[in-house]
Amino acid sequence: DGDNLLIIFSYQNKQHKQYLGLKENAENIRRAVKLYNEITERINFDKKYGESTFNFASYFPDAKNMKNLSGSEFECGKITFGAYALDVWLPRMEKKIAAVTGSITPKTYKDYKSYLNVCKDIACFWDMPMDKIRSLHIVDYMDELALTRKAKTINNLMIPFRPIFERAFIDGIIKEDIMQKVKNPSTRGQQPEIYPFSYNESQKIISAAKEHFPEMALWFGIGFLMGMRITEMQAMKWKYFDFENWTYHVCERIYDGDESDETKTFSGSRNIIVPRALRSMVEEHKKYTTHSEYVFLNSFGNPYQQSKHIVSKYWIELLNICEIEFRKMRQMRHSFAIQALEASFMISDISK
């Protein structure tokens, strides 16, 4: 309306026109659209769950018709934890994947869904109203998890809880963020997450792979000498090798059967130098898989979708042959990082 932007929305069976006092320009239009989306989201949420998260007075304190509107009184949350987590919080996280800022990755979103599914199967508070949940319920859930899981796994499973309750508090669903009273279990005394192999151990494993499993020797060479993530190695393609300059462009990964053209982190897309010690192994490996676009293939001629098959068929056997204590295969990357630091590589380069 002229130079004064307005938004039109329906609330309590009436149509409302509210002027924003903003002149029409690109930035203010974006602000108006954001405000409109936020208001309508809250109104629709209240209708669906019988809540009162939209407070007309807080948005338009000078509105002439505010006296005739209800909804300004706080009402405790009737929505259950499960409904809020799956129907409200998780869709917000999904939007962040496509956001310009790219605040979370598809893998992170998938992990959130997985963690919440565990909660759905175990937690007694899944179907409880949000305002009825106490910190004791959260602690009981962690105690239940501790019967079959290590502290590190429990901490991962608890990742969504703090942002869920924080957001519910901001939304006016609950009066208190109970997660501020909850402490994560200590991982002290458990095997450290980073448990690298020594240089001699890594060389011993690569040598054993050449002798016993030549079709997969390059896999372990890349793991120890290039430091790529398991998911990135599963997605390796011949076209990303630059054989003139001997580099490899990391830009794809396969995670739990899903192929993505995004790496784990947004800075993860990178070019890696292929060490001289690996170049002859790369040439030797061509005879196994150059008929495919993928560098590593399983017995069915397909790229590996999960690393568990490599672990069961090759990794455990190699560690037994070398008489080395079992460690998870991702320790190859950790070993590379430690050895690179000892060789005075930049931490910023290694962290990618």
Side-chain angles (χ1 to χ4, degrees):
D1 184 11
D3 283 338
N4 193 356
L5 292 176
L6 63 83
I7 57 175
I8 303 173
F9 59 93
S10 296
Y11 178 57
Q12 294 188 350
N13 299 318
K14 293 182 180 180
Q15 188 179 72
H16 298 271
K17 291 184 179 180
Q18 295 297 326
Y19 288 94
L20 305 180
L22 298 174
K23 291 185 177 181
E24 184 175 350
N25 58 50
E27 177 60 29
N28 285 340
I29 290 175
R30 282 193 293 269
R31 290 172 61 186
V33 170
K34 183 178 180 180
L35 178 63
Y36 172 81
N37 289 338
E38 180 180 326
I39 289 174
T40 54
E41 180 182 339
R42 285 180 177 268
I43 292 173
N44 292 333
F45 174 82
D46 293 345
K47 286 181 179 179
K48 184 174 181 179
Y49 296 106
E51 295 289 345
S52 183
T53 64
F54 175 61
N55 187 325
F56 196 99
S58 66
Y59 283 93
F60 308 108
D62 299 324
K64 296 179 180 179
N65 57 344
M66 205 199 32
K67 292 181 180 180
N68 300 320
L69 296 169
S70 60
S72 60
E73 294 296 322
F74 177 86
E75 295 179 14
C76 289
K78 303 179 185 69
I79 185 173
T80 64
F81 174 84
Y84 184 80
L86 296 183
D87 297 343
V88 181
W89 182 79
L90 202 56
R92 286 174 176 171
M93 295 302 103
E94 188 173 20
K95 289 180 182 178
K96 289 188 176 183
I97 299 176
V100 176
T101 55
S103 50
I104 69 170
T105 65
K107 177 187 179 300
T108 300
Y109 174 75
K110 188 173 183 179
D111 287 342
Y112 287 159
K113 291 182 68 175
S114 175
Y115 299 157
L116 290 173
N117 283 334
V118 173
C119 177
K120 182 179 181 180
D121 293 337
I122 298 176
C124 66
F125 56 82
W126 181 263
D127 292 320
M128 289 178 60
M130 289 286 288
D131 68 315
K132 301 298 182 184
I133 301 174
R134 300 291 179 263
S135 57
L136 177 63
H137 295 120
I138 307 297
V139 174
D140 286 344
Y141 172 59
M142 291 194 296
D143 289 343
E144 183 73 18
L145 292 173
L147 296 176
T148 55
R149 295 168 173 85
K150 293 184 178 181
K152 173 63 178 177
T153 303
I154 296 172
N155 287 337
N156 286 339
L157 291 171
M158 296 302 296
I159 288 174
F161 284 75
R162 296 190 187 280
I164 286 174
F165 279 95
E166 180 183 13
R167 189 68 243 183
F169 176 70
I170 294 172
D171 285 344
I173 303 298
I174 55 178
K175 293 182 179 180
E176 178 187 21
D177 180 358
I178 62 170
M179 288 303 297
Q180 293 185 7
K181 299 179 181 179
V182 177
K183 292 183 178 180
N184 283 16
S186 172
T187 57
R188 186 176 300 174
Q190 297 186 3
Q191 187 183 85
E193 184 69 15
I194 297 179
Y195 189 22
F197 295 90
S198 67
Y199 174 78
N200 289 335
E201 286 176 328
S202 62
Q203 290 299 309
K204 194 173 182 180
I205 293 171
I206 294 173
S207 296
K210 288 181 179 179
E211 180 180 353
H212 297 278
F213 307 112
E215 73 279 10
M216 285 297 286
L218 181 62
W219 173 277
F220 300 104
I222 289 174
F224 280 115
L225 301 181
M226 292 175 64
M228 290 175 61
R229 296 179 176 88
I230 301 294
T231 53
E232 295 169 344
M233 292 165 63
Q234 290 175 168
M236 286 185 73
K237 295 177 180 176
W238 289 110
K239 68 180 181 180
Y240 294 129
F241 275 105
D242 178 349
F243 291 108
E244 183 176 344
N245 297 302
W246 277 108
T247 61
Y248 183 82
H249 181 55
V250 181
C251 59
E252 295 182 357
R253 65 193 180 104
I254 297 177
Y255 177 77
D256 278 350
D258 294 332
E259 186 167 354
S260 171
D261 59 359
E262 295 180 338
T263 51
K264 180 178 179 181
T265 61
F266 293 101
S267 61
S269 181
R270 62 208 185 276
N271 288 316
I272 303 178
I273 295 175
V274 180
R276 291 185 181 278
L278 277 184
R279 295 174 187 178
S280 61
M281 293 177 66
V282 172
E283 296 290 355
E284 177 69 16
H285 189 78
K286 287 181 179 180
K287 65 184 180 184
Y288 296 109
T289 63
T290 46
H291 61 281
S292 169
E293 64 176 325
Y294 292 94
V295 177
F296 299 106
L297 302 175
N298 60 24
S299 56
F300 298 101
N302 300 315
Y304 286 96
Q305 303 298 304
Q306 295 177 325
S307 62
K308 63 182 181 180
H309 304 295
I310 300 173
V311 171
S312 60
K313 187 174 181 179
Y314 302 107
W315 182 247
I316 294 176
E317 185 64 22
L318 283 173
L319 294 184
N320 288 335
I321 292 171
C322 297
E323 298 182 339
I324 294 175
E325 178 186 358
F326 178 81
R327 271 159 273 184
K328 293 183 177 181
M329 194 163 56
R330 65 169 175 262
Q331 298 298 339
M332 292 192 298
R333 175 171 163 81
H334 296 154
S335 304
F336 165 80
I338 296 298
Q339 292 167 28
L341 284 173
E342 291 174 348
S344 301
F345 278 75
M346 295 292 291
I347 294 177
S348 58
D349 293 332
I350 299 171
S351 64
K352 297 180 180 179

